[in-house]
Amino acid sequence: MNETIDLMLAHTSVRRFTDQPISDDELKAIISAGRAASSWKNFQSYSIILVQSEEKKQALYDLVSQPAILQAQAILVFVGDHNRASKAAQLHEMPFDAKGVENLLISSVDAALAGQNALLAAESLGYGGVFIGMIRHKARPVAELFQLPAYTYPIFCIALGKPAEQHPVKPRLAEKAVVFSEVYQEQGPEAIQAYDQVQTDYAGSRQTEKWSQRMVAQFSQPEQPETKALLEEHQLL
Ligand SMILES: Cc1cc2nc3c(=O)[nH]c(=O)nc-3n(C[C@H](O)[C@H](O)[C@H](O)COP(=O)(O)O)c2cc1C
């Protein structure tokens, strides 16, 4: 339809990179494009930590052993951030309470929009990348590694670099299972089975378990405790 939509429709996560660097100008453009995203009341309730040093990449990899972290030419760590808001409260000598689900949604949504913008910008320049949300499973040591203060928390990072692999685009759920007209339409198990088959056909021999089994693994047990613990420590819950 147009170049922008074509780029969006061609998206695939990239987890292996060559050693071709991303120039400073390109990184600046990627980050600026990220920061151009909309945000709740223009609060921009996130911060981005740019990681390029081998020491920091290795330290993060030691916590979250995903090869994309080591191979990336740059990592953008997205931090949910109400710390700046606490400074506004100080400025106006007002009480400050950032605790609660709504405030977490504000910062998480803002960060996600900025992250997606940044990844698309990187893809438009011929780079690839992957969101890594698993850093939340190590939320406390990750917070320590990046010296995150009160009212902040790690949400995800994006590993970026020149793709050393190319996968076909991953098919999405059927449109009728996700996009409804006027009112919500609850789906039956057949929608899940149908997409399991789509995913099996897509992944072929690379598949280790069905798509629905991955969801069951996530939702059949209590949530991982690290995020909640860190949020409590940082006075956000
Ligand atoms: C918030 C978020 C966190 C993610 N975390 C990880 C991760 O920790 N490791 C990983 O390999 N992929 C991660 N992904 C990538 C997804 O697995 C991927 O986007 C999804 O399978 C769809 O594939 P595609 O991006 O290639 O279309 C994450 C994606 C999102 C949006």
Side-chain angles (χ1 to χ4, degrees):
M1 195 171 271
N2 67 35
E3 266 183 34
T4 307
I5 294 174
D6 287 347
L7 177 77
M8 290 169 163
L9 293 175
H11 160 79
T12 62
S13 292
V14 175
R15 297 177 176 83
R16 298 290 183 277
F17 306 107
T18 71
D19 50 17
Q20 185 180 317
I22 308 176
S23 74
D24 288 349
D25 282 352
E26 287 171 321
L27 268 175
K28 251 187 186 344
I30 290 166
I31 292 169
S32 296
R35 297 184 56 219
S38 297
S39 70
W40 176 272
K41 295 184 180 174
N42 195 29
F43 288 171
Q44 304 163 67
S45 303
Y46 59 85
S47 293
I48 301 169
I49 299 175
L50 171 62
V51 175
Q52 291 176 289
S53 73
E54 293 307 321
E55 305 90 89
K56 260 300 188 300
K57 281 195 273 176
Q58 183 65 53
L60 185 58
Y61 178 78
D62 290 343
L63 294 170
V64 186
S65 56
Q66 299 202 16
I69 290 173
L70 273 190
Q71 292 185 14
Q73 289 301 316
I75 299 174
L76 305 179
V77 182
F78 282 77
V79 175
D81 195 338
H82 295 306
N83 187 282
R84 282 187 294 270
S86 75
K87 303 296 159 45
Q90 274 175 24
L91 194 67
H92 293 283
E93 296 176 4
M94 289 294 284
F96 182 73
D97 181 3
K99 289 195 176 95
V101 173
E102 179 59 22
N103 293 332
L104 289 173
L105 285 173
I106 287 171
S107 44
S108 299
V109 172
D110 280 5
L113 297 179
Q116 179 62 19
N117 258 18
L119 180 54
L120 270 177
E123 289 172 353
S124 78
L125 294 170
Y127 298 106
V130 63
F131 281 83
I132 299 181
M134 289 300 283
I135 63 168
R136 294 201 298 270
H137 285 231
K138 292 288 162 70
R140 282 181 293 184
V142 166
E144 203 173 309
L145 181 65
F146 295 110
Q147 299 173 18
L148 302 189
Y151 316 121
T152 67
Y153 62 106
I155 307 181
F156 53 77
C157 66
I158 305 179
L160 293 171
K162 196 80 180 169
E165 62 173 14
Q166 193 72 56
H167 293 302
V169 169
K170 199 180 273 183
R172 286 345 194 205
L173 280 153
E175 189 171 311
K176 67 177 180 347
V178 178
V179 184
F180 311 131
S181 178
E182 310 298 344
V183 290
Y184 188 87
Q185 281 182 305
E186 196 165 353
Q187 301 293 297
E190 57 288 346
I192 306 301
Q193 278 173 320
Y195 190 60
D196 266 344
Q197 191 55 52
V198 170
Q199 279 291 293
T200 301
D201 294 344
Y202 165 79
S205 60
R206 281 184 291 131
Q207 189 176 55
T208 50
E209 57 183 353
K210 287 184 180 174
W211 175 75
S212 58
Q213 287 170 320
R214 285 207 299 279
M215 276 201 292
V216 170
Q218 171 89 32
F219 295 111
S220 61
Q221 54 195 355
E223 64 177 4
Q224 58 86 2
E226 269 286 310
T227 299
K228 188 161 181 270
L230 185 272
L231 290 173
E232 284 169 352
E233 275 176 23
H234 282 208
Q235 299 165 68
L236 289 165
L237 258 188

